[in-house]
């Protein structure tokens, strides 16, 4: 692969992993990264990067970005709750970027989306578009709309599920909060989830970008091919001292939901369902087409990220099992663990 590759989102969680993977896989590759502000380190992993300042919400700033490039890897997105910002970045920004790529004659486009476009679920072993997309958040709705612009540009669209690894500020932090608010096994902890380690996803993105003509345009699930049981993920996080030991209790799904509603927090009921109910999407095809080995799986990769998670979640705390009152392991009454580990009643 000798063409210049244009990369958006290069300083983000997934984008930085993809940047490193591209540099590792293709030594000497010319990488051009679109950023709103040039990072302090002006060189990417494994080699120099041409940093170009611009903004997806300003089409004029994209002019010339793709000049002379053979591949565009579009990983930037806005995932907050601001609908106007989501539309500006994920829809209008993607449309403007694809127009610039077409004007410059870019031959291959890789576009990152999300399996969240399918909505609330539960979903079990779903193939691409086997069920209709039904996004429920501003971020997922606009990312689905952005897919349309990418597909019209002939893109390979990747839909990963949950992404783990150093830099993850959503999945594992949410699991820690939920373990405290709903201190029991969640309906047997049997839910199967599509999960991928960020470095494995970065490798996949690099492999797809380098497969000129080998992968037909379209949508592909991009998680590890083997689903992860939520109970196994939580147990691994406990073993790596990222989460405290969980109480020996098992609550039905309705009881879990009632407890969640009783104990306030940032994670919503919809987000709880995304983590604690089946959300498994078949992902074998893209790994096969790109000839990219998926690796041993995200649970095996957790050890490398555990120190980062520990520093993020409890830099000074000593982990302790989440306590439960004698009544809380049976019914979801208005009790919750306090910050100092005691069980208090609202």
């Amino acid at each position: 692969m000798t063409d210049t590759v244009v990369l958006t989102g290069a300083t983000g969680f997934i984008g930085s992993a993809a940047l490193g993977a591209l540099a590792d896989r293709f030594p000497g590759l010319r990488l051009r990264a679109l950023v709103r502000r040039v990072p302090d380190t002006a060189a990417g992993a494994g080699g120099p990067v041409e940093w170009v300042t611009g903004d997806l919400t300003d089409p004029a700033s994209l002019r010339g970005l793709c000049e002379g490039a053979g591949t565009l890897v579009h990983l930037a997105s806005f995932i907050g709750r601001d609908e106007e910002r989501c539309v500006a970045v994920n829809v209008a920004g993607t449309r403007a970027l694809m127009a610039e790529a077409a004007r410059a004659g870019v031959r291959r486009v890789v576009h990152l989306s999300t399996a969240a476009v399918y909505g609330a679920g539960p979903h079990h072993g779903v193939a691409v578009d086997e069920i209709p997309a039904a996004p429920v958040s501003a971020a997922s709705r606009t990312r689905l709309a952005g897919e349309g612009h990418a597909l019209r540009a002939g893109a390979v669209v990747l839909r990963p599920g949950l992404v783990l690894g150093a830099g993850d500020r959503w999945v594992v932090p949410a699991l820690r909060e939920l373990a405290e608010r709903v201190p029991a096994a969640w309906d047997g902890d049997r839910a199967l989830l599509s999960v991928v380690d960020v470095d494995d996803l970065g490798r996949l993105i690099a492999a797809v970008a380098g497969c000129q003509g080998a992968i037909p345009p379209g949508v592909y699930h991009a998680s590890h091919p083997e689903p992860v049981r939520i109970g196994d993920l939580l147990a691994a996080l406990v073993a790596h001292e990222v989460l405290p030991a969980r109480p020996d209790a098992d609550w039905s799904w309705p009881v879990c939901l009632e407890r969640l509603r009783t104990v306030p927090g940032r994670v919503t009921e919809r987000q709880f369902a995304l983590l604690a109910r089946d959300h498994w999407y078949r992902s074998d095809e893209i790994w096969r087409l790109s000839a990219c080995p998926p690796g041993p799986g995200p649970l095996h990769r957790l050890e490398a990220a555990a120190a980062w998670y520990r520093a993020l979640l409890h830099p000074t705390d000593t982990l302790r099992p989440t306590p439960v009152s004698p009544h809380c392991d049976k019914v979801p009454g208005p009790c919750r663990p306090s910050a100092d580990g005691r069980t208090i009643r609202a």
Side-chain angles (χ1 to χ4, degrees), residues 97-167:
L97 182 64
M98 296 304 151
E100 174 59 23
R103 188 199 64 77
V106 170
R107 296 184 298 277
R108 185 159 193 80
V109 178
V110 182
H111 175 79
L112 184 69
S113 185
T114 172
V117 300
Y118 291 112
H123 304 137
H124 186 88
V126 173
V128 171
D129 291 332
E130 185 177 337
I131 58 174
V136 295
S137 70
S140 55
R141 282 193 302 271
T142 55
R143 293 184 78 180
L144 179 64
E147 282 187 13
H149 295 299
L151 289 169
R152 284 188 285 276
V156 173
V157 173
L158 303 178
R159 290 177 179 169
L162 304 175
V163 185
L164 301 180

Side-chain angles (χ1 to χ4, degrees), residues 30-305:
R30 295 186 295 275
L31 287 163
R32 185 181 301 154
L34 177 71
V35 290
R36 286 183 293 170
R37 183 178 62 84
V38 176
D40 294 336
T41 302
V49 176
E50 178 189 357
W51 300 98
V52 177
T53 56
D55 194 314
L56 289 171
T57 64
D58 178 10
S61 72
L62 305 179
R63 187 73 176 180
L65 174 67
C66 297
E67 206 66 50
T71 302
L72 168 64
V73 180
H74 181 31
L75 308 181
S77 63
F78 181 75
I79 58 173
R81 297 179 181 179
D82 184 330
E83 181 106 26
E84 184 176 349
R85 182 71 175 168
C86 283
V87 171
V89 175
N90 301 340
V91 185
T94 298
R95 179 175 60 238
L97 182 64
M98 296 304 151
E100 174 59 23
R103 188 199 64 77
V106 170
R107 296 184 298 277
R108 185 159 193 80
V109 178
V110 182
H111 175 79
L112 184 69
S113 185
T114 172
V117 300
Y118 291 112
H123 304 137
H124 186 88
V126 173
V128 171
D129 291 332
E130 185 177 337
I131 58 174
V136 295
S137 70
S140 55
R141 282 193 302 271
T142 55
R143 293 184 78 180
L144 179 64
E147 282 187 13
H149 295 299
L151 289 169
R152 284 188 285 276
V156 173
V157 173
L158 303 178
R159 290 177 179 169
L162 304 175
V163 185
L164 301 180
D168 161 35
R169 297 179 183 274
W170 146 237
V171 180
V172 173
L175 288 173
R176 182 175 185 186
E177 177 186 314
L178 290 167
E180 295 173 350
R181 291 172 65 190
V182 188
W186 306 329
D187 199 21
D189 280 347
R190 63 177 64 89
L192 292 177
L193 305 174
S194 280
V195 186
V196 65
D197 174 78
V198 68
D199 289 329
D200 288 334
L201 180 57
R203 289 191 302 103
L204 177 63
I205 291 168
V208 172
C211 287
Q212 299 289 347
I215 303 175
V219 177
Y220 299 86
H221 295 152
S223 297
H224 192 276
E226 293 296 324
V228 171
R229 194 175 72 91
I230 185 59
D232 294 336
L233 173 55
L234 291 166
L237 290 168
V238 171
H240 289 300
E241 299 184 330
V242 174
L243 298 184
R246 302 170 73 209
D248 185 15
D250 189 354
W251 294 343
S252 68
W253 184 242
V255 170
C256 288
L257 288 181
E258 189 174 349
R259 172 57 62 81
L260 186 77
R261 294 163 187 155
T262 301
V263 182
R266 297 181 62 185
V267 180
T268 67
E269 184 174 318
R270 177 184 63 82
Q271 292 168 333
F272 183 31
L274 287 173
L275 294 166
R277 306 292 275 172
D278 280 354
H279 286 86
W280 167 32
Y281 309 95
R282 296 190 181 278
S283 300
D284 309 71
E285 186 177 21
I286 192 62
W287 299 92
R288 176 179 58 80
L289 289 173
S290 64
C292 182
L299 295 186
H300 293 273
R301 303 294 197 203
L302 276 178
E303 183 176 3

